[in-house]
Amino acid sequence: MKENKRQDLLDRMKNLHKNVERGREDRNAEPIVRTLRKQDSFEDLVEYKQVLMQQRASAEIGVVNPFYRAHESGSGATAQIGGRIYDNFASYDYLGLNRDDRIVGNAKAALDQYGVSASASRLVAGERTVHNDLERSLAEVYDADDAVVFVSGYLTNVAAIGCLMGPKDLVIHDEFMHNSGLTGVKLSGAARRFFKHNDMADLERILRTIGQDYDRILVVAEGIYSMDGDIADLPGLIKLKKQYNFWLMMDEAHSLGVLGETGRGAFQHFGVSPSEVDIWMGTMSKTTSSCGGYIAGSKALITLLKAHAGGFVYSVGLAPALAAAALTSLEIMKSEPERVHALRRNSQLLLDCAREKGLDTGLSEGYSVVPVIVADSLRAVQLSNELFEAGVNVLPIIHPAVPEGLARLRFFITSAHSEEQIRRAVDLTATILTRLQNENFGIASSNVMQVIARLAQG
């Protein structure tokens, strides 16, 4: 009986394809002889060889890889690495909540209640009450109808843009937009144009040339730009939105808990209505001591994403313990605005101290992210390593994450940093960087160029 059912199913499947297959086969045709194509191994890939060359060059020059150092406890203003406690400026813990007893306690309670995993896509069987509670809390931040959370901040941009836009549409974005946004545009198939960083005149120039060429237009900007620490011109964006009628998406990954009197983000900072923005996006790994991302907006927007965004529909639901941690963090942010104020004081202090020492802080406005631009990637790595030896953990951002010539150290500041930590870190940075500059340490030095040229020749 089972065999008959199986054969019946197979026959039905074959019939579905019969018309497609008909005409494709010619039983009298000569067989086609195909040459087996060569597939490179991963070891043969040019990209892999470039990584190896960088590693070998670093080893010969004597520069240690500063990345992937394992932390041995929860990290915030301090971090334990290799049994040593460091002043830590490499973590997102903006409001000092990563080890807060209330958050840890509620995460543990969620583990007891729900287990470790949501165990399924929320569409199927992964929906948990804590997801709904978190989404309501996020919607309240933006006075929005609703919100939806994803398991990854990166995935949030990819899934949302990929869902909302298509080949007949256009995405216009700030040239410094995060890679996740670029990936979302590529997935969508939409056309893409960028405007000069935070330049509303350049954005308007683009908008004037579009006409009726596209069905949908989406403009994307970030509340605080993660590499430079400056703030988007939200009023300027809203003004252009009213004039040219596009969707406006704001990435608040580094703005939530940072901007505004109570940390609600860019709209509160500028005193504008959050309803002026169509799509609020953010992550839960910075201020809210968790993981994942979110979109907040109209009921129609959230309903659409929950029904069609692949990164939501086909992905397991956010782990309940992570949802509980994010929810508790939001509650603390709302009830303890003094944490936001402390973060602002600390960030401004680091920015002021760095400028006093003659360090290049680029465009930073002193809100949570302050870069120290050192230009040369190799110099940035060495500076980071020597600071680490001195007890300060701050990591370099090098090519290709930023263009060569704009390599930097990126300081993340928290509300929990002390004035002593901040002043010491800046003093050490200035002292070590001055010596490296005087020694002409970097990629352009003759001995480094010789090593790279020799390795490139094999």
Side-chain angles (χ1 to χ4, degrees):
M1 188 65 177
K2 287 183 179 180
E3 179 59 27
N4 290 338
K5 286 185 177 180
R6 186 184 74 85
Q7 190 59 49
D8 179 61
L9 177 62
L10 291 174
D11 289 341
R12 287 161 59 195
M13 292 171 64
K14 289 176 183 177
N15 288 334
L16 290 175
H17 296 285
K18 190 188 316 182
N19 292 334
V20 177
E21 296 297 331
R22 187 177 295 141
R24 289 184 180 179
E25 296 181 1
D26 184 355
R27 297 182 183 277
N28 297 321
E30 293 292 328
I32 298 173
V33 178
R34 292 184 174 86
T35 303
L36 187 64
R37 66 181 297 275
K38 181 181 181 298
Q39 177 76 6
D40 288 339
S41 68
F42 295 120
E43 290 80 2
D44 293 328
L45 296 180
V46 172
E47 300 90 334
Y48 173 71
K49 291 179 179 179
Q50 288 174 340
V51 173
L52 283 186
M53 189 179 78
Q54 291 169 353
Q55 292 175 345
R56 290 167 182 163
S58 296
E60 289 204 26
I61 298 165
V63 175
V64 177
N65 183 352
F67 306 110
Y68 300 106
R69 290 182 176 129
H71 293 221
E72 297 157 350
S73 64
S75 296
T78 61
Q80 180 174 319
I81 305 171
R84 180 181 177 184
I85 302 298
Y86 291 83
D87 292 336
N88 185 40
F89 293 89
S91 298
Y92 301 137
D93 188 29
Y94 291 146
L95 298 187
L97 295 173
N98 191 34
R99 289 178 284 192
D100 188 281
D101 289 341
R102 293 164 291 181
I103 295 171
V104 174
N106 284 348
K108 288 179 179 178
L111 283 171
D112 291 337
Q113 180 177 352
Y114 300 104
V116 176
S117 173
S119 302
S121 163
R122 286 175 60 186
L123 183 70
V124 180
E127 189 81 354
R128 301 293 181 266
T129 55
V130 70
H131 293 140
N132 305 137
D133 295 339
L134 173 57
E135 287 167 347
R136 279 195 297 271
S137 184
L138 285 164
E140 287 174 1
V141 171
Y142 300 99
D143 293 335
D145 293 341
D146 204 353
V148 57
V149 297
F150 296 77
V151 294
S152 157
Y154 191 98
L155 177 68
T156 302
N157 269 336
V158 173
I161 297 174
C163 173
L164 296 171
M165 308 303 286
K168 296 182 179 180
D169 305 326
L170 171 67
V171 178
I172 310 173
H173 62 87
D174 189 288
E175 64 178 323
F176 288 179
M177 181 173 71
H178 192 269
N179 177 268
S180 58
L182 298 175
T183 303
V185 178
K186 184 176 181 180
L187 172 66
S188 74
R192 178 176 71 87
R193 295 180 70 177
F194 68 84
F195 58 95
K196 295 176 184 177
H197 179 53
N198 235 355
D199 188 333
M200 295 303 100
D202 194 46
L203 173 57
E204 184 171 18
R205 177 189 60 79
I206 295 171
L207 290 166
R208 282 200 307 264
T209 67
I210 292 170
Q212 303 299 316
D213 297 340
Y214 303 96
D215 290 349
R216 305 169 185 173
I217 298 174
L218 174 68
V219 173
V220 186
E222 299 181 21
I224 291 179
Y225 287 89
S226 61
M227 292 294 177
D228 292 270
D230 58 335
I231 303 173
D233 181 3
L234 182 56
L237 290 164
I238 292 172
K239 180 181 178 181
L240 290 176
K241 177 181 181 294
K242 291 177 178 178
Q243 185 176 354
Y244 292 95
N245 198 25
F246 51 78
W247 288 335
L248 177 58
M249 179 177 182
M250 291 298 296
D251 182 337
E252 293 280 275
H254 293 271
S255 309
L256 179 67
V258 178
L259 294 181
E261 184 65 20
T262 59
R264 294 175 69 186
F267 78 87
Q268 190 180 50
H269 175 81
F270 286 106
V272 302
S273 170
S275 64
E276 299 282 7
V277 173
D278 301 282
I279 306 168
W280 289 104
M281 177 271 170
T283 61
M284 297 181 293
S285 56
K286 281 79 175 175
T287 286
T288 57
S289 299
S290 182
C291 193
Y294 63 85
I295 298 287
S298 69
K299 188 67 177 178
L301 169 66
I302 303 308
T303 299
L304 173 62
L305 291 176
K306 284 188 172 182
H308 289 291
F312 179 84
V313 173
Y314 300 108
S315 176
V316 68
L318 184 69
L322 292 175
L327 176 60
T328 309
S329 296
L330 284 174
E331 292 169 350
I332 295 173
M333 183 194 83
K334 294 172 183 178
S335 64
E336 299 179 7
E338 60 270 20
R339 291 177 179 269
V340 178
H341 305 159
L343 168 62
R344 192 159 305 154
R345 287 194 303 271
N346 287 344
S347 299
Q348 194 62 52
L349 175 63
L350 194 147
L351 181 65
D352 291 343
C353 290
R355 287 175 174 172
E356 288 170 6
K357 291 289 184 180
L359 297 172
D360 183 358
T361 56
L363 302 173
S364 179
E365 298 182 43
Y367 291 93
S368 72
V369 179
V370 178
V372 172
I373 299 173
V374 301
D376 184 288
S377 288
L378 189 61
R379 185 177 297 164
V381 171
Q382 184 64 16
L383 175 58
S384 173
N385 284 338
E386 294 195 27
L387 282 168
F388 188 75
E389 292 174 7
V392 176
N393 186 46
V394 56
L395 292 186
I397 305 295
I398 60 177
H399 180 77
V402 293
E404 186 57 58
L406 290 177
R408 64 198 60 191
L409 298 190
R410 183 170 57 165
F411 287 81
F412 291 117
I413 302 95
T414 81
S415 62
H417 278 116
S418 68
E419 180 177 342
E420 181 184 0
Q421 285 179 301
I422 292 169
R423 291 188 181 280
R424 178 174 180 270
V426 172
D427 288 346
L428 284 168
T429 300
T431 299
I432 297 170
L433 179 57
T434 298
R435 177 175 54 76
L436 293 174
Q437 290 170 333
N438 291 338
E439 294 173 354
N440 193 32
F441 183 95
I443 292 174
S445 64
S446 58
N447 62 320
V448 172
M449 294 298 292
Q450 289 172 3
V451 169
I452 293 174
R454 177 167 50 78
L455 291 173
Q457 293 173 358

